[in-house]
Amino acid sequence: STLSSSSAASDVYKRQAFNKVRLQEHHMKLDGMRLIQHPGTKEIELDQQEYLWSLTEIKTKVHPKKQGATVKECERKALQGLLLGLQWVSVMTRPDLSADVSLLLERVPQATYEDIGKANKLYRTAIKRDAKIRLKQLGQKLVCVGWSSATTGNRVDHRSTGGYMIALVESHFQTGETTTVSPISWKSHRLRKITNSSISAETEAQQVMSEELFETRRVWAELQGCMITAWEDLNNESESIRTVSSTVLVGDRTVYKAMAGEVSQSQYKRSRIDRRTVAQLKAERQIVEADGLQVHRVNRAADLGNALSRQRVDDKLWDLLTTSSWLLADTEKRRPIKRKRAAMMEAWRDKQRRREYGLLDSDESGYDDDLWPTHSPHEGPPIQDKTGDTSDEDQNEILQGMYRSD
């Protein structure tokens, strides 16, 4: 009788508590975010476009010559409110806005009218691009993948910016195939360490990503049924986390070699890397060995962490949101820089040989615009010497011009 009375009281409480709640199936709104699940494909969409429309631009009328002037206090508060609204969107559903919002928020205390213009432009871009997070149904064998990158000295106080992206992909992603990607966690943040070295900044960003990747694998292991209850039993916890396959994608060559175990102790001593960075790189190598991580090198065209550490330079994250797929190394869209320079140099040498033997066509008498960009400091190939071959000094000038133009 006691059990029956308690269950009846519980039913009455539930009816009173949820009397005004409407049951929604395959559709729900939560904190300005709309969640939709398609019954057929089981795909889940996370959208905040309606919340974006609730924000407003900042209306200002300033002469173009006074864009560098400091804003008023009311305009500063309006700028802060707009950026905080965009930050909520970037944290939940729009990783393509994270870097721009993070860098603009640090300029609020000394904001100018130029910053207001950038914030309004960013807001219009967010409205124009109706992007969504799409969580598609994946296969049985999943891999937790993490990208990380850093940019030095691009903040107001000359601090560095780090960014990471963690996602779930299918297992054949490691073979280089294009696979479905479900973003789990991403962030664009200021690095704690003050440094002017790109290696130190990349190492710091990699350490932050490793901590987040560990927690993501831990949660995923719990969802898969692994019992992780006692913090005292560290061996049991490590064994459970190892059941989740994980891959770390590194863009910096030095960090990649250190994490892959290709750097010896003597090479560390001969290098100019500071001691703290060396200790961090050794710690990351130990994490790779202890947690059973796989380390791969990724080029800039496919590095999602690079797009989260600097202002918008390309549309990598936009492509990810629209296609919900990615690949390990993007070699079709953009070749690695060294191979691109070598191909340009080889093409120019071939044209020089054909010109020397009179094999050029009439339409090939001039220089190619594609081979020699107009923004390069050189008008074209350097003048040849008396022997008809290009001297070593001229070749050095060609290569230096290519490096500056790229």
Side-chain angles (χ1 to χ4, degrees):
S1 61
T2 306
L3 292 175
S4 61
S5 61
S6 62
S7 61
S10 177
D11 294 338
V12 172
Y13 173 76
K14 289 178 181 179
R15 284 195 297 269
Q16 292 177 353
F18 300 100
N19 187 25
K20 297 182 180 181
V21 175
R22 184 177 59 182
L23 179 63
Q24 297 179 348
E25 187 176 1
H26 306 299
H27 184 277
M28 184 180 67
K29 288 184 179 180
L30 178 65
D31 295 336
M33 180 172 57
R34 184 176 58 179
L35 290 85
I36 302 175
Q37 184 180 25
H38 300 278
T41 60
K42 303 298 181 182
E43 177 183 340
I44 300 176
E45 291 184 358
L46 285 75
D47 181 21
Q48 283 184 295
Q49 200 67 17
E50 185 176 349
Y51 174 78
L52 277 174
W53 281 105
S54 65
L55 303 177
T56 56
E57 291 189 35
I58 305 172
K59 304 297 182 181
T60 56
K61 294 182 180 180
V62 182
H63 194 272
K65 293 184 179 180
K66 297 183 179 180
Q67 290 294 319
T70 307
V71 300
K72 300 177 183 178
E73 186 63 28
C74 59
E75 295 170 333
R76 191 193 317 278
K77 292 182 178 179
L79 175 61
Q80 186 178 11
L82 176 60
L83 290 177
L84 288 176
L86 292 175
Q87 186 186 37
W88 170 245
V89 177
S90 67
V91 168
M92 299 301 295
T93 59
R94 296 293 297 272
D96 56 319
L97 306 176
S98 297
D100 298 87
V101 173
S102 176
L103 293 172
L104 283 174
L105 273 173
E106 286 209 346
R107 297 192 58 84
V108 170
Q110 57 267 21
T112 60
Y113 287 100
E114 183 180 1
D115 299 326
I116 292 181
K118 292 180 180 179
N120 288 335
K121 183 178 180 181
L122 182 62
Y123 172 69
R124 291 192 296 268
T125 303
I127 288 288
K128 183 179 179 181
R129 291 184 166 185
D130 186 9
K132 304 175 183 178
I133 291 290
R134 294 178 174 87
L135 304 177
K136 296 186 177 181
Q137 190 172 6
L138 302 176
Q140 297 295 329
K141 296 182 179 180
L142 301 181
V143 180
C144 195
V145 181
W147 294 265
S148 69
S149 184
T151 303
T152 57
N154 63 340
R155 291 186 173 265
V156 178
D157 52 357
H158 303 288
R159 291 285 190 95
S160 302
T161 303
Y164 65 80
M165 165 73 74
I166 297 175
L168 285 175
V169 300
E170 296 180 352
S171 58
H172 55 273
F173 174 83
Q174 299 174 342
T175 62
E177 300 180 15
T178 302
T179 59
T180 303
V181 177
S182 294
I184 301 297
S185 176
W186 60 86
K187 188 178 182 181
S188 179
H189 58 98
R190 180 177 62 177
L191 296 178
R192 297 186 295 266
K193 185 177 179 181
I194 303 175
T195 178
N196 293 326
S197 172
S198 60
I199 298 177
S200 300
E202 292 282 354
T203 306
E204 185 82 12
Q206 177 63 39
Q207 189 177 27
V208 175
M209 192 275 292
S210 297
E211 296 175 358
E212 183 68 18
L213 182 63
F214 178 84
E215 293 298 329
T216 304
R217 296 174 68 196
R218 185 173 183 273
V219 172
W220 187 251
E222 289 182 341
L223 293 176
Q224 295 299 314
C226 297
M227 298 298 295
I228 305 176
T229 56
W231 285 96
E232 294 81 4
D233 192 3
L234 297 179
N235 294 328
N236 183 24
E237 181 183 11
S238 299
E239 290 294 334
S240 301
I241 293 177
R242 284 198 199 97
T243 59
V244 181
S245 301
S246 184
T247 301
V248 178
L249 302 178
V250 185
D252 188 81
R253 182 177 61 180
T254 304
V255 178
Y256 166 74
K257 287 186 175 182
M259 294 185 64
E262 299 179 5
V263 181
S264 61
Q265 183 66 25
S266 58
Q267 290 176 333
Y268 277 126
K269 292 181 179 180
R270 291 196 303 267
S271 65
R272 298 182 179 180
I273 306 175
D274 60 281
R275 295 182 179 180
R276 178 179 175 180
T277 304
V278 170
Q280 289 177 333
L281 290 174
K282 291 181 179 179
E284 289 298 319
R285 175 56 188 170
Q286 292 177 0
I287 292 174
V288 169
E289 294 177 348
D291 294 347
L293 302 177
Q294 293 188 14
V295 183
H296 289 281
R297 178 82 185 277
V298 61
N299 59 356
R300 184 177 297 179
D303 189 2
L304 295 177
N306 186 36
L308 286 164
S309 63
R310 62 188 67 192
Q311 287 183 327
R312 192 187 311 277
V313 291
D314 49 30
D315 292 331
K316 287 195 284 287
L317 293 173
W318 170 247
D319 294 339
L320 174 66
L321 293 176
T322 52
T323 62
S324 299
S325 61
W326 204 247
L327 70 167
L328 181 62
D330 193 351
T331 57
E332 296 180 0
K333 290 185 179 179
R334 190 180 304 171
R335 289 177 294 177
I337 296 177
K338 290 186 177 180
R339 291 196 306 177
K340 182 179 177 181
R341 292 172 183 150
M344 292 174 63
M345 196 67 191
E346 183 62 30
W348 179 78
R349 289 197 184 105
D350 180 66
K351 195 168 185 178
Q352 288 292 94
R353 296 190 200 101
R354 288 189 292 162
R355 180 182 287 108
E356 182 180 354
Y357 291 102
L359 300 178
L360 282 181
D361 298 332
S362 58
D363 57 345
E364 291 185 308
S365 57
Y367 301 119
D368 295 333
D369 292 337
D370 295 337
L371 185 60
W372 298 101
T374 56
H375 61 270
S376 174
H378 299 278
E379 296 292 336
I383 301 176
Q384 293 181 332
D385 55 10
K386 297 180 180 180
T387 61
D389 297 328
T390 307
S391 61
D392 295 337
E393 296 180 357
D394 293 336
Q395 287 188 5
N396 291 333
E397 289 186 6
I398 295 173
L399 292 175
Q400 291 176 4
M402 288 181 181
Y403 273 81
R404 286 193 291 268
S405 63
D406 286 342

